[in-house]
Amino acid sequence: MTFTLQDLERLQTKLQSEHLDYNLELVEGRISIMGPSDYISDEIGSRLIIFLGAWVMTHKLGRVTGAAAGFILPNPDADLRAPDVSFVKAEKLKRSQRSFVQLVPDLMVEIKSKTDRIKPIVEKIQAFLELGTEVGILIDPDKETVSIYRLRNEPMVLTSSDTLMIPELFPGWELPISELWPPIFE
């Protein structure tokens, strides 16, 4: 059975009416239901949104969103996808919308949860890149690595001793990878 965006919206409304909080994606006519993320993965996403969001807002570069923001992609199936963290340039989205946006983010970030497999995450990143995303990032808390993907390039893998820089989107912005990992309070 093939589902549409309208089917997804009806299911989302039904789940919300039953006080169930799930993120939904529509991929090639199939609805994927994703439960809450594990605590560490969500904290890493929140930290990235804070660090990157502050830079983006200060420089008025665009919009940074989290895992609940849906993008209707320009592919034949009109997939609805929601990266863990996204950035859209100001000129592409001059005003926020109350619905899903029909565009491809310029940056998309996926954070591996405890139960995720790497292959589907990489496939999701590659799909975004093929549709026009400039940079895709995979954060793996288990290995404490950040892999940066660009179309037609091998991924660049960074570790805690490295610094994340994305000059084509955020000239001058730098983030030590170690700042992504949740602090330990003693």
Side-chain angles (χ1 to χ4, degrees):
M1 176 176 213
T2 301
F3 293 98
T4 66
L5 185 56
Q6 291 75 27
D7 295 324
L8 181 134
E9 288 173 329
R10 280 193 293 274
L11 176 59
Q12 193 168 36
T13 300
K14 180 172 176 30
L15 291 172
Q16 289 170 344
S17 72
E18 296 175 9
H19 306 289
L20 298 172
D21 187 23
Y22 294 105
N23 287 334
L24 305 177
E25 287 188 336
L26 181 64
V27 183
E28 297 175 355
R30 293 186 310 270
I31 294 176
S32 297
I33 301 173
M34 294 157 290
S37 181
D38 64 77
Y39 196 89
I40 286 178
S41 296
D42 191 64
E43 186 175 359
I44 290 168
S46 297
R47 292 175 69 79
L48 180 57
I49 288 170
I50 290 166
F51 295 131
L52 181 59
W55 178 270
V56 167
M57 285 189 296
T58 301
H59 294 84
K60 297 181 180 10
L61 297 175
R63 304 175 189 286
V64 176
T65 56
F71 294 87
I72 300 171
L73 301 178
N75 60 8
D77 296 310
D79 290 344
L80 175 70
R81 305 299 301 262
D84 293 324
V85 177
S86 302
F87 165 75
V88 177
K89 292 178 185 175
E91 60 265 18
K92 282 175 67 174
L93 189 59
K94 293 183 183 287
R95 182 180 302 262
S96 288
Q97 299 177 11
R98 196 70 173 128
S99 59
F100 303 122
V101 294
Q102 294 186 3
L103 56 82
V104 179
D106 299 289
L107 168 73
M108 63 85 66
V109 179
E110 288 295 309
I111 302 161
K112 182 187 177 296
S113 294
K114 184 178 178 180
T115 58
D116 284 340
R117 294 183 337 266
I118 292 290
K119 185 178 179 205
I121 298 172
V122 171
E123 289 170 352
K124 182 176 180 178
I125 292 169
Q126 291 296 340
F128 271 82
L129 291 172
E130 289 168 11
L131 290 170
T133 294
E134 289 185 50
V135 179
I137 295 177
L138 167 58
I139 300 174
D140 187 341
D142 299 323
K143 295 180 179 176
E144 291 193 349
T145 58
V146 173
S147 300
I148 304 170
Y149 293 80
R150 291 175 174 90
L151 194 61
R152 297 188 225 340
N153 290 333
E154 288 298 312
M156 177 189 312
V157 180
L158 305 176
T159 62
S160 291
S161 60
D162 294 317
T163 300
L164 177 60
M165 294 178 281
I166 309 170
E168 62 267 45
L169 296 175
F170 317 113
W173 180 73
E174 296 183 357
L175 178 66
I177 298 297
S178 60
E179 290 294 322
L180 287 173
W181 315 132
I184 297 172
F185 302 112
E186 310 247 353

